[in-house]
Every structure is written in structure tokens, then in C-alpha cells.
Amino acid sequence: LAERKENAHRIDKIESLELHRVIDNELLTVDAKNMWINLNYHLMHFVDFMPPANWYTNSADPLLQMFERLSNLLDKVGKREAHVYVAFPSEKTEPIDEERTYFGRIAGLILPAPVSLMMAKKSIKKYSKKINHDLSYRLNWAS
């Protein structure tokens, strides 16, 4: 997703994606068609981890942020196949029946969304390193 802006003009020229499988770190190549299909499945899978309510108060949640980014990307490049549409509140709403820990309430107030996302990325890198999983990837482009 980080490359989307700089490559938006040639997004239709992706031939394949190379990445390493988590289970055994073997190199895997996915053609562009299947990459877009998988990204749509990821969008649906993110829904499994979204809080059922109080999206405004949980807006810094990294999973909500990634859902929104992937959703926007799929829309922008015309590759959305999954019928998952979410309207995030733009105005502050009061939490409904949510009992958060003191730390959860404070963290939600003081941690800006980009910081929360950066912390999640660091955590993923840490866990991947622990299991010797290579997070690098490469997009292959048509000439």
C-alpha cells in the first residue's frame, strides 16, 4: 500500500507479486489477477477483526486503518470485487456499551493513528524476525 501513490499511474501494469510464505518462508509468486483476488479476500478478512461498534473511538486501531487504506486502494484502481462497504463516522460519537481499560482509554486519546500504525508495523517486524520470516516483497511490472 505504501507504493500506491508513486505507482498509481501504472497500477494496471503489475504482472506479479513476489513474497515469502509465513509457514515456511518459501518464495511465492502470485500473478496480478490472483493478487487482486487475494487483496479482496484480505478486505473481507479485516472485517473479522473490526470492533462491532465505536469506530470513532477506535479510529487509531491499526486494523481499522489498514481496512480503510485497502478499501480505498481497491476503489481507486477499480479492483474491488468484495461487497464490503463501510462508512466511518466523520464526527465524534459517544461510545456505546464499551468498557475499556484505563490504558485503552488513554492510549486511544493520546496516540495519533499514524503512531499506532507505526507501532503495529514494528510489532509485526519483531514477530516475523523471531520466526525467520522475510517480509520483503517485489512487484514485477510489464515493460
Side-chain angles (χ1 to χ4, degrees):
L1 292 177
E3 295 179 340
R4 68 181 174 188
K5 287 183 182 176
E6 61 202 39
N7 289 305
H9 66 285
R10 64 180 187 150
I11 203 82
D12 59 328
K13 301 276 194 257
I14 295 175
E15 283 189 338
S16 62
L17 167 68
E18 294 177 15
L19 67 152
H20 298 269
R21 294 189 304 204
V22 174
I23 194 164
D24 58 9
N25 207 44
E26 288 295 314
L27 187 64
L28 177 68
T29 302
V30 180
D31 64 54
K33 178 182 177 185
N34 283 299
M35 180 191 77
W36 293 116
I37 291 170
N38 274 279
L39 287 175
N40 275 273
Y41 277 116
H42 277 289
L43 186 70
M44 291 185 292
H45 188 54
F46 275 135
V47 174
D48 294 335
F49 300 101
M50 292 172 69
N54 304 323
W55 289 350
Y56 184 86
T57 57
N58 292 301
S59 61
D61 183 299
L63 291 171
L64 284 177
Q65 291 181 65
M66 292 306 296
F67 173 89
E68 188 171 22
R69 288 180 178 195
L70 180 56
S71 180
N72 291 340
L73 171 70
L74 291 170
D75 285 342
K76 184 175 182 172
V77 300
K79 297 293 185 180
R80 180 191 288 271
E81 299 286 331
H83 296 281
V84 179
Y85 298 99
V86 172
F88 289 101
S90 58
E91 296 179 10
K92 184 175 182 175
T93 56
E94 290 300 317
I96 301 168
D97 293 331
E98 182 177 72
E99 292 185 31
R100 297 173 80 183
T101 64
Y102 177 73
F103 179 75
R105 288 191 308 270
I106 297 299
L109 293 171
I110 63 172
L111 278 181
V115 173
S116 178
L117 189 58
M118 181 189 69
M119 290 172 62
K121 287 178 183 178
K122 281 186 176 182
S123 181
I124 291 167
K125 287 177 183 177
K126 179 180 133 187
Y127 292 126
S128 291
K129 184 176 182 179
K130 193 174 189 176
I131 63 168
N132 296 316
H133 175 242
D134 185 351
L135 287 170
S136 66
Y137 67 92
R138 187 172 91 188
L139 289 171
N140 297 311
W141 303 91
S143 42

